[in-house]
Amino acid sequence: MPNSHAREITPILHAQGLGKQVDSGERRLDILSGLDLQVFPAESVAILGSSGAGKSTLLGLLAGLDTPTTGELSLFGESLPGLDEDGRAQLRAGRVGFVFQNFQLLPTLTALENVLLPLELVPGNDHLARGRDWLTRVGLGERLDHLPKQLSGGEQQRVAVARAFVTEPELVFADEPTGNLDRGTGKKVIDLLFDLNREAGTTLVLVTHDHNLARRCQRCLHLDAGRLSVLDRDEVEA
Amino acid sequence: MKRGAGLWLLSLKGLRRDLRASDVRALFVALALAVAASTMIGFFLDRLDRALTRQAGQLLGGDIKLEQSQPFDAELRRELEDAGLVLGDQVDMVSMVSRDQAFQPASLKVVDDAYPLYGEVHVELGKQGAERISQVAHGPAPGEAWIAPRLAQLLDVEIGDTLQVGQATLSVGGLIVREPDQGAGFASFNPRLMMHIDDLDATGLIRPGSRVEFELLAKGPPEAVASVDDLLGRLERNGVEVSDVREDRPTLGSALERAEKYLSLAGLAAVLLAGVAVAMATRRYVDRHLDTAALLRCFGATQRQLTRLFALQLLWLALSASIIGALLGLAGQAGLLALLTRFLPLELPPPGVLPLLLGIFTALAVLVGFAGPTLLRLKRVSALKVLRRELDPLPASAWLVVGVASLVFGALLWLYSGDLWLSLGLLLGGLVALVVLWALGWALLGGVLRLAGRWSAGQGGGSQALRLGARQLARRRQASLGQLLAFAVTFAAMAIITLVRGDLLTTWQAQLPADTPNYFAINIQPGEREGFIDIVDDAADSRTALYPIVRGRVTAINGQPPRQVVPEESRSDNALRRELNLTWSETVPEGNRVVAGQWFDADVGRPVNASEGQPVPISIEDGLAERFGVGLGDTLSFTIGSAEITGEITSLRDLDWDSFRPNFYIVFPPSVLERFGHSYITAFHLDDGNRDMLRELIATYPSVSLLNVEAILGRVRELLSQVTRAVEFVLAFVLLAGVSVLYAALTASHSMRTHESGLLRVFGAGDRLISRVQGVEFALLGFTSGLMGALLAELAAAGVYVGWLDLVPRIHWLMWLVLPLGGALAIGVIGHALSRGVRRQTPMASLGLLGEA
């Protein structure tokens, strides 16, 4: 079962000594190095960092979209470096949701179809009902058949949020979810994201440069020069 | 977790959604057109072919004909019958037929109750009025004879009278108007008498030594005919003459043959065009689906699932396009046949299922070949692309795309033409041409870029647009080159099909001018020559020369028995089996062209004594020379009556067998054949108003046979005009396929142009300028590809003319003007109109500043 309300001791996400290097011309560039992280079920974690700090790279590694150069990483208790690309994809199917900065809605699909997309990869015969239900929960019950271009930015991101939760995943990654929205709209989307997260008891990993947003997570980590450090409340307020 | 059904459903849903996208519509249209063209032409040629085979069976008298000089034994009959064949017996001979004191040689055809195996006899049976012609599926009853009207005239008999055949007396039961199994040509000069096989013994004509031909005819389904192949081979080795509809089909008129080839060519051109359209549309399709693929990867789809998803999605697309295309093709072939059957006396078999399967196969092959390598890119997409947009998988190498597409197209060429070497040749030629065009295109674009640099001086709106447009085109060299090649191939294919059509029509029209002979007169005796010509020349509009005919058989080639010397496929050639009509002439016969060697010198007019063994010079038709495998300097020996004469080939002639003139395989110089018995042949054109002359001719020269070819001529004329219409119908199809390429290509570059015009606008360009820049860019693209297309078309057309259609190649100057200018205009206007939507977008939208691009 994807949903577990009971807090378990084993972390859902566990990284140790994680590093990522890229070749840039003749030099090797360390984007991340020696990074440790544990995320527990139903927890919400914010990863803060300035532009270019490697936030997106880290998110890609944690979600198994990319492979680390060094270190250990396990998701749902499975070691990611031990899996090939397909193995990692299968591990994600139905258990991981995503919210992206640029929404990543497919332009030729209606709102409902966009939401149904991740469901297509998991068994079940109530997909349509679930898709409608989730769109209603994000307040778009009347706009099921609208194409993304017929929706405002905030509405598009709400569709994306519904899509992230529709499979009832154990873990949701959010990458700068308000990056493309104005402050007011961004706040509404964030409220929604946290409400849903709380209701569903999902684990949330949020990457952002926005301290206000980070503050709403239970734990805040700061990514700087390729390393993670824990920020306490005061530092976030600052 | 993986569910097969889910993917199927997802792929179907995906396709439904995708039909909203222009690239998918372009793919759909291109595939449907490819299938429509190939099934239409496939259905048509298949039905025509089967109808012609059936007609051939009718002309031959059965699917198989065995001939020998003695009766066939019972065991052979049993073997053939066991194979599922129906048999009929026939005996042919020439014999004197008499009534009272009138005697006349007749060509006897003795038939049994099974006659005719195919078709019907047109015969006048009663005395009540001359117009009562019946079509019956049987021969004369025992005791009866059916005779040709000419024989009735010569013997002065009517229906109901009796006549003497050998020792038997038969009553005339009917006048034969047409026999179903009557091949064309003048094989038999004696009038026909048909009688029943039961009366044969009573005639007493079958004696040892008499020249009698026993024939065993067999009819049956193709499987049954195929099952006796070994037996036929054995019989042939034992000296039995075997004719088989599958091999001895009468050749079509060259017009219809060329039309068939033209249609195949046009079908392939449509398939190629559709392929190019598919390739162009696929690029955009893949670009557009990279995001979907990456998202699905992100949501946990495996590579296998992605491959299956997109493969299935395209499979649905191909299948639905195939069905639409096949329906179009079915309607199209019905149209084509409706155009053709009015004059082709064919029973048309229903459309077969093979062309349909072939059409679907073609769609799938085109999809795999022209889209496959590009599609693989979808599978390789990284899930990380959702976070980092720049992470697109590398596009498939252009050479891989071209290579795979060429392989598949080559295989289709092979499948359609059945000629491996032709396909390989065309394929290699095409690839070389592509490489040359690639280099040429690269150089041209470089030239455009340099030129654009020099234009920078002018500041008027026009020159600014010219500069910007040229630069945009030339800077994206790789992408532009792809479009350039696609357009060039498109223009070339359209041009070839148009050119070939024009040249075919011109050739056909020149072939049968208004005064083409409509009557042939044969068997004119030397003494009747002058008088006959006088009567004809008074009334006829035109007349060919009078050619003497001497009948002779080829008995040796270079001193060897002919069958041992000629290439294997010519061993059963009719020219070796029958006597040939030989003639002599001082000058090259009308309509003939010496293609090798020299025509006879004036001084060969001296008497030649052939018995001295000195070969005389002869001229041979080049087609026969090729079949015999002989050339200048080789010798042919002929038996004429009891004499033998040897000729040395000193010239090869090219002639047109469809010309409605007397044509000869072998021409001797004068003073060689005169000593043999000969008669004359001529052909003339007579207007409807002058038909009275015919009666005078028949009355004055009763032994001369007049052949009215008006009906055949009329049919050929109509055939040409109908085939012309069919050709035009198909041409329209190819042009349509060409337009689908334009559509697909312009769709493919849509996103790029959106981005560019957005940027230009951000930098302050107005509507007018952007519109002009785009117009210039499209027009330049059209002009350059038109130029390259003209080059490609000229080369390819020359190859097709020489290698396939047997036409003389020439340079098409007009095309060099029309293609570049027309290309500039067409692509300029269409492209400009299609990208109007792009110009209307705000830069915010076109640059993707608002979220999803």
Side-chain angles (χ1 to χ4, degrees):
Chain A
M1 277 300 294
N3 264 332
S4 161
H5 290 276
R7 181 143 187 171
E8 291 165 24
I9 302 176
T10 46
I12 200 167
L13 191 61
H14 188 175
Q16 199 160 26
L18 204 62
K20 179 74 181 174
Q21 298 179 322
V22 291
D23 289 323
S24 161
E26 289 155 21
R27 279 185 337 128
R28 303 207 73 187
L29 210 64
D30 277 322
I31 298 181
L32 302 171
S33 64
L35 189 145
D36 298 329
L37 173 68
Q38 284 191 325
V39 178
F40 293 93
E43 192 184 16
S44 59
V45 178
I47 298 172
L48 268 164
S50 53
S51 185
K55 298 191 299 286
S56 290
T57 306
L58 177 59
L59 186 72
L61 289 180
L62 296 180
L65 305 181
D66 199 2
T67 48
T69 320
T70 55
E72 272 304 312
L73 176 63
S74 69
L75 179 64
F76 306 127
E78 288 220 43
S79 166
L80 284 179
L83 295 172
D84 62 6
E85 177 108 27
D86 272 354
R88 299 199 300 271
Q90 276 175 305
L91 187 62
R92 282 194 299 270
R95 303 174 78 181
V96 178
F98 289 92
V99 178
F100 303 104
Q101 176 175 10
N102 51 9
F103 322 142
Q104 291 286 1
L105 299 182
L106 295 178
T108 55
L109 270 54
T110 63
L112 180 60
E113 286 167 343
N114 266 296
V115 172
L116 290 177
L117 202 58
L119 278 179
E120 314 274 15
L121 296 166
V122 295
N125 43 22
D126 56 343
H127 288 171
L128 205 60
R130 276 163 76 180
R132 286 209 182 98
D133 180 42
W134 276 99
L135 270 175
T136 312
R137 286 169 79 170
V138 300
L140 294 171
E142 306 294 311
R143 323 268 321 249
L144 299 178
D145 295 325
H146 284 73
L147 291 172
K149 65 179 177 196
Q150 296 165 310
L151 300 170
S152 71
E155 286 166 338
Q156 288 188 41
Q157 194 60 305
R158 270 146 68 190
V159 174
V161 169
R163 185 179 64 185
F165 282 94
V166 74
T167 57
E168 295 172 9
E170 295 161 58
L171 177 58
V172 167
F173 288 105
D175 177 26
E176 300 276 13
T178 56
N180 274 348
L181 302 173
D182 63 64
R183 182 177 277 273
T185 313
K187 185 174 179 313
K188 282 184 200 155
V189 168
I190 286 306
D191 288 346
L192 180 72
L193 185 64
F194 279 94
D195 286 350
L196 292 177
N197 189 45
R198 204 169 32 250
E199 283 169 31
T202 315
T203 312
L204 178 69
V205 176
L206 191 149
V207 170
T208 183
H209 65 275
D210 180 350
H211 284 235
N212 288 325
L213 182 51
R215 217 169 24 226
R216 301 186 58 168
C217 291
Q218 291 161 348
R219 219 155 35 106
C220 288
L221 304 169
H222 188 247
L223 184 63
D224 187 30
R227 290 173 186 281
L228 271 183
S229 53
V230 180
L231 289 180
D232 57 28
R233 288 270 147 204
D234 301 340
E235 285 175 286
V236 181
E237 303 284 346
Chain B
M1 164 159 306
K2 268 180 285 175
R3 295 174 320 143
L7 268 183
W8 285 65
L9 217 63
L10 180 56
S11 64
L12 269 175
K13 277 196 227 159
L15 178 63
R16 194 172 49 90
R17 290 172 199 140
D18 258 349
L19 283 174
R20 293 175 203 143
S22 55
D23 51 289
V24 172
R25 283 203 298 258
L27 261 177
F28 189 88
V29 169
L31 283 175
L33 278 176
V35 174
S38 63
T39 50
M40 173 174 76
I41 291 163
F43 274 134
F44 173 70
L45 292 183
D46 174 61
R47 288 180 76 184
L48 193 64
D49 192 62
R50 284 192 291 149
L52 288 170
T53 304
R54 195 176 283 189
Q55 198 190 32
Q58 186 171 324
L59 286 174
L60 195 63
D63 296 313
I64 302 169
K65 180 161 96 174
L66 306 177
E67 290 171 70
Q68 63 180 20
S69 54
Q70 59 204 27
F72 289 91
D73 58 37
E75 196 189 332
L76 173 66
R77 287 167 200 278
R78 218 192 39 248
E79 247 180 286
L80 291 172
E81 276 167 348
D82 285 350
L85 296 165
V86 178
L87 302 183
D89 270 290
Q90 205 167 299
V91 181
D92 287 353
M93 72 186 100
V94 173
S95 172
M96 241 5 143
V97 178
S98 63
R99 167 167 168 93
D100 301 331
Q101 295 311 307
F103 286 83
Q104 179 65 37
S107 154
L108 262 53
K109 174 161 162 177
V110 185
V111 300
D112 62 1
D113 292 328
Y115 179 86
L117 290 180
Y118 282 117
E120 288 167 333
V121 189
H122 295 227
V123 62
E124 190 186 326
L125 290 169
K127 280 182 178 173
Q128 319 92 310
E131 303 300 315
R132 310 268 319 227
I133 294 167
S134 320
Q135 299 181 17
V136 296
H138 59 79
E144 259 189 17
W146 290 355
I147 61 177
R150 191 152 71 92
L151 186 60
Q153 199 184 355
L154 290 167
L155 292 177
D156 193 22
V157 293
E158 288 180 7
I159 292 176
D161 294 343
T162 59
L163 43 72
Q164 197 74 22
V165 182
Q167 293 157 20
T169 306
L170 301 174
S171 85
V172 176
L175 298 177
I176 302 166
V177 179
R178 207 175 105 196
E179 298 167 44
D181 46 342
Q182 187 177 39
F186 314 114
S188 169
F189 289 105
N190 296 311
R192 170 71 78 214
L193 182 145
M194 200 188 289
M195 56 183 279
H196 196 271
I197 203 160
D198 288 355
D199 298 324
L200 188 59
D201 283 345
T203 61
L205 290 172
I206 309 286
R207 283 191 209 128
S210 49
R211 267 187 78 175
V212 181
E213 214 161 58
F214 291 89
E215 293 176 3
L216 189 60
L217 300 158
K219 163 176 113 162
E223 314 84 71
V225 175
S227 73
V228 295
D229 270 347
D230 290 344
L231 176 62
L232 296 182
R234 214 165 59 227
L235 290 170
E236 206 156 19
R237 283 192 294 280
N238 290 341
V240 177
E241 195 174 306
V242 178
S243 312
D244 178 339
V245 277
R246 291 165 301 171
E247 292 158 19
D248 296 81
R249 235 178 67 172
T251 50
L252 300 172
S254 65
L256 198 55
E257 221 164 90
R258 279 192 192 135
E260 275 201 1
K261 284 182 178 167
Y262 176 83
L263 292 180
S264 308
L265 182 72
L268 280 170
V271 170
L272 175 64
L273 285 179
V276 175
V278 165
M280 305 293 290
T282 309
R283 272 177 46 186
R284 169 85 181 122
Y285 177 87
V286 167
D287 279 347
R288 218 166 40 80
H289 284 77
L290 283 176
D291 284 342
T292 314
L295 264 182
L296 282 169
R297 283 301 270 163
C298 208
F299 298 150
T302 60
Q303 283 205 339
R304 225 176 100 87
Q305 280 175 311
L306 275 187
T307 312
R308 277 180 57 196
L309 174 68
F310 288 108
L312 278 173
Q313 197 160 319
L314 288 167
L315 182 70
W316 302 136
L317 182 78
L319 285 181
S320 45
S322 298
I323 290 169
I324 305 264
L327 288 177
L328 273 175
L330 208 56
Q333 61 91 26
L336 275 180
L337 281 173
L339 287 176
L340 279 174
T341 43
R342 266 186 41 219
F343 65 91
L344 273 182
L346 298 176
E347 287 175 66
L348 278 173
V353 72
L354 192 68
L356 183 67
L357 296 179
L358 204 62
I360 294 175
F361 176 77
T362 303
L364 292 178
V366 164
L367 194 61
V368 170
F370 287 80
T374 313
L375 281 173
L376 283 182
R377 206 169 152 221
L378 279 174
K379 185 184 119 176
R380 289 187 282 117
V381 76
S382 157
L384 203 56
K385 178 176 153 56
V386 293
L387 297 175
R388 295 172 39 199
R389 299 199 62 85
E390 73 281 7
L391 270 187
D392 283 346
L394 283 174
S397 127
W399 294 115
L400 181 69
V401 174
V402 171
V404 172
S406 306
L407 268 182
V408 169
F409 188 66
L412 284 176
L413 266 176
W414 186 17
L415 181 71
Y416 278 86
S417 70
D419 187 338
L420 177 62
W421 293 112
L422 176 80
S423 317
L424 274 179
L426 279 177
L427 193 62
L428 281 180
L431 281 179
V432 169
L434 268 187
V435 172
V436 171
L437 283 185
W438 187 276
L440 188 67
W442 189 265
L444 276 174
L445 285 180
V448 165
L449 191 59
R450 266 196 301 281
L451 262 177
R454 298 221 183 112
W455 284 330
S456 53
Q459 275 307 309
S463 72
Q464 192 185 16
L466 206 60
R467 195 178 72 235
L468 279 171
R471 273 201 186 146
Q472 278 197 6
L473 183 73
R475 268 205 212 106
R476 289 189 318 254
R477 226 187 251 200
Q478 204 67 36
S480 297
L481 211 52
Q483 288 200 344
L484 210 57
L485 282 184
F487 287 138
V489 170
T490 305
F491 285 142
M494 291 161 99
I496 289 167
I497 297 303
T498 313
L499 290 183
V500 174
R501 169 198 158 271
D503 286 340
L504 265 187
L505 298 194
T506 318
T507 312
W508 286 340
Q509 273 155 14
Q511 193 174 306
L512 295 176
D515 62 352
T516 304
N518 53 358
Y519 282 90
F520 274 74
I522 51 181
N523 212 18
I524 305 167
Q525 296 308 308
E528 299 171 335
R529 212 151 47 127
E530 305 291 328
F532 189 89
I533 290 178
D534 284 346
I535 300 181
V536 169
D537 285 352
D538 277 348
D541 310 329
S542 67
R543 177 179 62 79
T544 68
L546 232 64
Y547 293 95
I549 293 182
V550 173
R551 312 243 323 146
R553 191 181 282 269
V554 180
T555 48
I557 295 177
N558 292 328
Q560 304 285 317
R563 278 171 207 246
Q564 289 178 17
V565 187
V566 299
E568 195 173 337
E569 63 271 18
S570 303
R571 274 181 205 155
S572 56
D573 201 292
N574 269 334
L576 286 180
R577 300 210 295 229
R578 306 228 150 81
E579 287 193 318
L580 296 180
N581 292 322
L582 311 174
T583 194
W584 68 82
S585 174
E586 205 180 321
T587 53
V588 183
E590 301 158 71
N592 286 212
R593 214 158 44 91
V594 174
V595 289
Q598 292 283 322
W599 189 249
F600 313 125
D601 290 333
D603 65 346
V604 289
R606 69 195 149 76
V608 178
N609 190 348
S611 59
E612 281 174 9
Q614 187 96 22
V616 295
I618 55 170
S619 173
I620 182 170
E621 189 252 345
D622 60 350
L624 185 71
E626 198 183 318
R627 266 146 57 206
F628 280 4
V630 295
L632 297 176
D634 287 323
T635 63
L636 297 181
S637 302
F638 302 86
T639 305
I640 303 171
S642 59
E644 177 114 343
I645 193 162
T646 299
E648 181 187 331
I649 299 171
T650 55
S651 66
L652 298 183
R653 278 168 305 122
D654 174 47
L655 58 86
D656 182 3
W657 291 102
D658 299 337
S659 65
F660 284 81
R661 274 189 299 258
N663 282 320
F664 295 91
Y665 280 134
I666 310 279
V667 181
F668 280 76
S671 313
V672 180
L673 300 177
E674 278 87 335
R675 62 197 169 98
F676 301 106
H678 57 271
S679 63
Y680 287 84
I681 180 172
T682 189
F684 54 89
H685 181 263
L686 201 61
D687 261 346
D688 282 345
N690 295 329
R691 295 278 150 99
D692 293 345
M693 181 268 265
L694 294 175
R695 219 169 290 147
E696 188 189 346
L697 268 184
I698 294 167
T700 322
Y701 302 103
S703 66
V704 172
S705 297
L706 279 178
L707 239 77
N708 182 350
V709 293
E710 182 74 51
I712 304 175
L713 184 64
R715 260 175 30 197
V716 172
R717 280 223 172 89
E718 197 176 350
L719 171 109
L720 290 186
S721 79
Q722 305 296 347
V723 165
T724 304
R725 252 178 261 167
V727 159
E728 266 159 9
F729 190 66
V730 168
L731 173 71
F733 227 87
V734 173
L735 295 183
L736 213 60
V739 173
S740 85
V741 177
L742 293 185
Y743 180 62
L746 293 170
T747 309
S749 62
H750 196 266
S751 61
M752 202 161 49
R753 285 179 214 286
T754 309
H755 193 244
E756 277 169 4
S757 68
L759 273 179
L760 275 178
R761 191 161 304 227
V762 168
F763 299 149
D767 246 2
R768 245 170 101 89
L769 182 64
I770 290 178
S771 158
R772 278 188 184 167
V773 167
Q774 285 185 346
V776 165
E777 191 186 336
F778 282 123
L780 269 177
L781 186 64
F783 184 83
T784 321
S785 44
L787 218 54
M788 284 163 56
L791 179 67
L792 189 60
E794 198 71 270
L795 293 178
V800 167
Y801 281 20
V802 173
W804 209 17
L805 291 173
D806 206 13
L807 295 174
V808 184
R810 62 190 183 88
I811 292 190
H812 304 81
W813 295 113
L814 190 62
M815 175 180 74
W816 286 91
L817 200 67
V818 168
L819 274 195
L821 293 182
L825 195 71
I827 295 191
V829 169
I830 300 175
H832 192 248
L834 276 181
S835 44
R836 229 165 88 188
V838 172
R839 292 195 296 276
R840 287 223 178 116
Q841 282 183 2
T842 61
M844 277 297 270
S846 53
L847 290 180
L849 298 180
L850 283 177
E852 190 52 45

